[in-house]
Amino acid sequence: MNNRIEVLRGLFNYNYYTYKLRDSEHVPGVWKNTALLILLSGLIFGISAYFGIGSEYLSKKLTSISREEYEMQKLLFMAGQTVLGLVFGAVMIFLPSLFFWTLSDVELKKFLAVQLFVLPIFLLEKLIEIPFALSLGLTQVSSPFALGTIGQYITDNNFIIYFLSSISIFKGWAIFIEYKYLKMLTGKNPKIVMLLVIGLYLIFWLFSALISFVQFEKIL
């Protein structure tokens, strides 16, 4: 049975799609959708950078450098963010797929298909953060959808605040979708599947917090 990937249908109608994906012999369209979503990820990160979101360190230099140098650094920031978006999209599709593939005998394409349903959730979160940043000046750390705001009330430790800001209702949604698909595809104990999924995302959140804490853009 052929089972062409339908990203939005798989995202919102997972009860139907989990059975369809599990019973399919072939999963056509995986590579095409993978390429499109990675490009979309780069585009969304680029749009966010175009509006100056995340470039607060650059704005502080506005009075100390020439206009030409400022525009050049802004352009480099946009290019860097676009590349970061491409890398982010690729990592969020391939790393979880390879991880779960090594722990089961399920075809790799089916895990890739699951990640094609998960990545749009992260991109939607990134997209929604743009108007909040532009209208209210809210950065990711102060997002109303994440725990970063609570973190700022309970501690002054920036690493913990960045870590909590990585945990949002969108991440919870992604974990739920991924859990539903993986439980059906792998046939493993649901508790084991949940632990694997949460454990993997904990690693992502810790790594994301570390990157934000170090602030490589200031070093460069």
Side-chain angles (χ1 to χ4, degrees):
M1 179 175 66
N2 285 335
N3 184 25
R4 183 165 295 280
I5 297 299
E6 301 169 275
V7 174
L8 291 180
R9 190 173 184 184
L11 177 58
F12 292 105
N13 195 9
Y14 55 85
N15 283 328
Y16 162 77
Y17 223 80
T18 45
Y19 289 100
K20 192 175 179 182
L21 187 60
R22 184 194 63 179
D23 297 335
S24 65
E25 297 176 358
H26 305 287
V27 191
V30 167
W31 299 119
K32 176 184 175 183
N33 282 287
T34 296
L36 290 175
L37 279 179
I38 290 175
L39 289 175
L40 180 62
S41 177
L43 177 64
I44 291 175
F45 273 68
I47 291 173
S48 177
Y50 172 78
F51 288 112
I53 299 170
S55 66
E56 291 78 12
Y57 78 97
L58 187 58
S59 301
K60 294 176 182 176
K61 294 182 177 179
L62 187 58
T63 57
S64 60
I65 60 177
S66 66
R67 186 71 186 178
E68 291 75 15
E69 186 178 354
Y70 173 79
E71 291 298 333
M72 177 58 69
Q73 291 199 24
K74 184 179 177 182
L75 190 62
L76 289 174
F77 174 75
M78 286 177 55
Q81 286 294 303
T82 301
V83 172
L84 178 63
L86 296 174
V87 172
F88 173 80
V91 166
M92 295 311 297
I93 288 177
F94 285 103
L95 271 188
S97 301
L98 290 171
F99 174 69
F100 292 115
W101 178 59
T102 59
L103 299 177
S104 73
D105 55 359
V106 179
E107 186 184 0
L108 176 60
K109 275 189 174 182
K110 294 188 178 182
F111 289 121
L112 290 172
V114 173
Q115 293 311 121
L116 295 181
F117 305 141
V118 172
L119 180 58
I121 299 175
F122 299 137
L123 299 183
L124 177 63
E125 180 178 24
K126 182 76 176 177
L127 207 56
I128 288 177
E129 286 176 353
I130 293 176
F132 277 93
L134 294 177
S135 60
L136 302 175
L138 297 179
T139 62
Q140 181 186 358
V141 174
S142 302
S143 170
F145 306 108
L147 298 181
T149 304
I150 297 175
Q152 294 176 65
Y153 280 105
I154 62 177
T155 181
D156 293 327
N157 187 300
N158 285 334
F159 181 81
I160 295 177
I161 292 173
Y162 286 130
F163 174 74
L164 291 175
S165 69
S166 300
I167 305 173
S168 67
I169 58 174
F170 290 92
K171 304 300 192 312
W173 182 13
I175 286 175
F176 174 75
I177 292 292
E178 190 147 7
Y179 164 75
K180 297 291 285 186
Y181 276 105
L182 293 178
K183 184 181 69 170
M184 183 62 68
L185 278 179
T186 63
K188 294 182 181 296
N189 184 305
K191 293 180 181 177
I192 298 297
V193 175
M194 181 58 79
L195 283 175
L196 289 173
V197 173
I198 292 178
L200 182 63
Y201 279 99
L202 275 175
I203 294 173
F204 283 139
W205 295 337
L206 286 170
F207 184 73
S208 174
L210 180 63
I211 295 296
S212 299
F213 181 74
V214 173
Q215 295 183 322
F216 286 103
E217 69 273 13
K218 291 184 178 179
I219 298 176
L220 297 175

